[in-house]
Amino acid sequence: MMRHKEEKEAKKEAFRKYLDSSGVLDALTKVLVSLYEQNDKPSSALEFIQQKLGGPSVSEYEMLQAELSNLQIKYDELLAEHQETCKELEELKNSRSMAMASTEETIDGETHRDGF
């Protein structure tokens, strides 16, 4: 039981050191101090923290989600159009190849007749 508690404490300490060395603790401390020093507290502390850390606000996030959705729809439409164009191109290539082969057979056939 004691060993389990020591392992748990060691993991916590390692995680705290990781957060400290990567600058997370300092950044969070600065943002929380900034929030504390606000005379007029924001209606959403979470949104305040997100903005201070460089993340989008809720309204910006929703706007970005809508833009992403619209772009996905446009991408899907363009992809379908591209696939249809590729299919048409293949059909044209195949019909041209068949026409060329048919013309060659006709020419070969006429040449053989003339040669006899």
Side-chain angles (χ1 to χ4, degrees):
M1 176 115 171
M2 192 66 134
R3 182 176 175 180
H4 176 68
K5 190 173 185 177
E6 290 172 1
E7 288 175 2
K8 191 173 180 181
E9 287 301 317
K11 282 184 179 182
K12 282 182 183 180
E13 182 60 23
F15 185 66
R16 190 199 64 71
K17 285 180 180 179
Y18 162 72
L19 293 176
D20 190 30
S21 67
S22 62
V24 172
L25 291 180
D26 188 45
L28 287 175
T29 301
K30 287 178 182 177
V31 171
L32 292 173
V33 168
S34 176
L35 178 59
Y36 176 77
E37 292 175 346
Q38 292 288 308
N39 290 331
D40 297 324
K41 301 293 184 228
S43 59
S44 172
L46 181 60
E47 192 168 324
F48 176 87
I49 292 169
Q50 287 173 331
Q51 287 175 341
K52 289 293 182 180
L53 290 175
S57 68
V58 173
S59 60
E60 290 172 325
Y61 178 79
E62 289 170 351
M63 194 171 66
L64 290 169
Q65 285 294 106
E67 183 179 357
L68 175 62
S69 178
N70 290 337
L71 288 172
Q72 184 65 50
I73 290 168
K74 175 105 175 158
Y75 169 79
D76 291 342
E77 290 171 353
L78 289 171
L79 182 60
E81 185 179 326
H82 172 71
Q83 289 171 338
E84 183 61 32
T85 303
C86 287
K87 182 180 172 186
E88 290 172 8
L89 179 61
E90 277 303 312
E91 289 172 359
L92 286 172
K93 284 181 180 178
N94 290 338
S95 65
R96 183 169 183 243
S97 294
M98 290 173 61
M100 294 289 285
S102 175
T103 303
E104 288 175 4
E105 287 176 9
T106 304
I107 291 172
D108 286 345
E110 290 175 4
T111 303
H112 289 303
R113 284 189 205 132
D114 292 341
F116 288 122

